[in-house]
Short mmCIF file of all heavy atoms in Angstrom, two decimals:
data_model
loop_
_atom_site.label_atom_id
_atom_site.label_comp_id
_atom_site.label_asym_id
_atom_site.label_seq_id
_atom_site.Cartn_x
_atom_site.Cartn_y
_atom_site.Cartn_z
N THR A 171 269.70 82.15 -62.79
CA THR A 171 269.94 81.01 -63.66
C THR A 171 270.99 81.34 -64.72
O THR A 171 271.72 80.46 -65.15
CB THR A 171 268.64 80.55 -64.36
OG1 THR A 171 268.09 81.64 -65.08
CG2 THR A 171 267.65 80.00 -63.36
N GLN A 186 277.66 92.70 -58.84
CA GLN A 186 277.84 94.11 -58.47
C GLN A 186 276.65 94.95 -58.94
O GLN A 186 276.15 95.80 -58.21
CB GLN A 186 279.14 94.67 -59.07
CG GLN A 186 280.39 94.10 -58.47
CD GLN A 186 280.54 94.48 -57.01
OE1 GLN A 186 280.17 95.58 -56.59
NE2 GLN A 186 281.05 93.56 -56.22
N PRO A 210 242.41 91.70 -59.03
CA PRO A 210 241.34 90.72 -59.29
C PRO A 210 240.29 90.67 -58.18
O PRO A 210 239.10 90.51 -58.45
CB PRO A 210 242.08 89.39 -59.39
CG PRO A 210 243.48 89.74 -59.67
CD PRO A 210 243.71 91.08 -59.05
N LYS A 249 256.00 99.85 -63.35
CA LYS A 249 256.56 100.22 -64.66
C LYS A 249 257.61 101.32 -64.51
O LYS A 249 258.66 101.28 -65.16
CB LYS A 249 255.46 100.67 -65.60
CG LYS A 249 254.57 99.56 -66.07
CD LYS A 249 253.48 100.07 -66.99
CE LYS A 249 252.54 98.94 -67.38
NZ LYS A 249 251.45 99.41 -68.24
N THR A 283 277.45 102.87 -77.72
CA THR A 283 276.34 103.26 -78.59
C THR A 283 275.30 102.15 -78.67
O THR A 283 274.10 102.43 -78.74
CB THR A 283 276.82 103.64 -80.00
OG1 THR A 283 277.59 102.57 -80.54
CG2 THR A 283 277.60 104.92 -80.01
N PRO A 289 268.54 99.65 -75.11
CA PRO A 289 268.61 99.41 -73.66
C PRO A 289 267.99 98.07 -73.25
O PRO A 289 268.35 97.51 -72.21
CB PRO A 289 267.86 100.58 -73.05
CG PRO A 289 267.12 101.22 -74.16
CD PRO A 289 267.75 100.81 -75.43
N VAL A 293 271.97 93.70 -71.25
CA VAL A 293 272.66 92.58 -70.60
C VAL A 293 273.51 91.83 -71.61
O VAL A 293 274.67 91.49 -71.35
CB VAL A 293 271.66 91.64 -69.89
CG1 VAL A 293 272.34 90.40 -69.36
CG2 VAL A 293 270.95 92.38 -68.76
N LEU A 300 282.26 92.39 -71.74
CA LEU A 300 283.13 91.72 -70.77
C LEU A 300 283.98 90.64 -71.44
O LEU A 300 285.16 90.48 -71.12
CB LEU A 300 282.29 91.12 -69.63
CG LEU A 300 281.63 92.13 -68.70
CD1 LEU A 300 280.69 91.42 -67.74
CD2 LEU A 300 282.67 92.93 -67.95
#
Side-chain angles (χ1 to χ4, degrees):
T171 57
Q186 290 295 324
K249 289 179 184 178
T283 54
V293 173
L300 291 172

